[in-house]
Amino acid sequence: MKVCSVLRWGHIALLLCLFAAEGKRSPAGKHGCRKGLLSQVTQNLYGKATGLKSSVPKDLIKNTRLLKKTTKVLFMTNCSVRDQLLSFYVKYVFSHLGARSDKLYVITAFQVLQANMSACHPCAPSTRLSSAVKNVKKTFLKLGEKGIHKAIHELDILLPWIQAYIQTIV
């Protein structure tokens, strides 16, 4: 059992290293768009998300959502919203999980996704937080520690958005 786990972690680590290295090898310092690797990292995130969800208390707040349908539309069409939402998860959600290997993988994977999605469809960095992400952050902070649990359980919403966006990349 431990051998399978070690081999799986080795495979995941290798994928992340290859994924990060692919972008660095592109000419003129630009990252190349790697749709296949984006899909593979997203698929691996599904398993890690399941592990994270099982490690935090169940989300019992049913009348509040962080990730709304209107945010999905913006995520799919607005690169700033995509970038800000992925950054929000890294900075505010995953940073509260303590020192765990799952956390390290998820943070790295989100950063790799963020960089490579930008490589596929570059956009100018925004200095202002979009109203959609501002609302996510406001609700998250209002919920306190339960906001962390809710955000982790809503990875079931965010990961399909990421996967759907990747499918739109030509």
Side-chain angles (χ1 to χ4, degrees), residues 9 15 26-27 29 34 45 50 66 72-73 87 91-92 104 111 127 129 133 142 154 165 169:
W9 271 105
L15 277 175
S26 297
R34 303 305 233 187
L45 275 170
T50 302
L66 297 174
K72 178 184 180 182
V73 172
S87 292
K91 184 175 181 182
Y92 291 97
L104 179 61
Q111 291 169 334
T127 56
L129 199 58
V133 177
K142 187 172 115 182
E154 287 192 10
Y165 173 72
I169 297 171

Side-chain angles (χ1 to χ4, degrees), residues 77-140:
T77 59
N78 186 314
C79 60
S80 291
V81 171
R82 251 187 326 275
D83 188 59
Q84 290 171 9
L85 193 56
L86 294 176
S87 292
F88 166 80
Y89 262 82
V90 169
K91 184 175 181 182
Y92 291 97
V93 178
F94 303 139
S95 65
H96 290 92
L97 294 178
R100 300 173 33 178
S101 57
D102 287 12
K103 171 191 167 186
L104 179 61
Y105 175 81
V106 172
I107 287 173
T108 304
F110 263 65
Q111 291 169 334
V112 167
L113 284 171
Q114 190 174 14
N116 286 280
M117 281 197 271
S118 293
C120 293
H121 291 288
C123 72
S126 176
T127 56
R128 297 182 65 201
L129 199 58
S130 69
S131 61
V133 177
K134 210 180 279 187
N135 289 336
V136 169
K137 183 178 173 185
K138 180 181 168 189
T139 304
F140 173 82

Side-chain angles (χ1 to χ4, degrees), residues 1 10 98:
M1 183 79 165

Side-chain angles (χ1 to χ4, degrees), residues 3-24:
V3 171
C4 288
S5 179
V6 169
L7 288 174
R8 188 171 313 150
W9 271 105
H11 176 72
I12 290 169
L14 178 65
L15 277 175
L16 282 175
C17 290
L18 288 173
F19 196 40
E22 282 294 326
K24 291 179 184 172

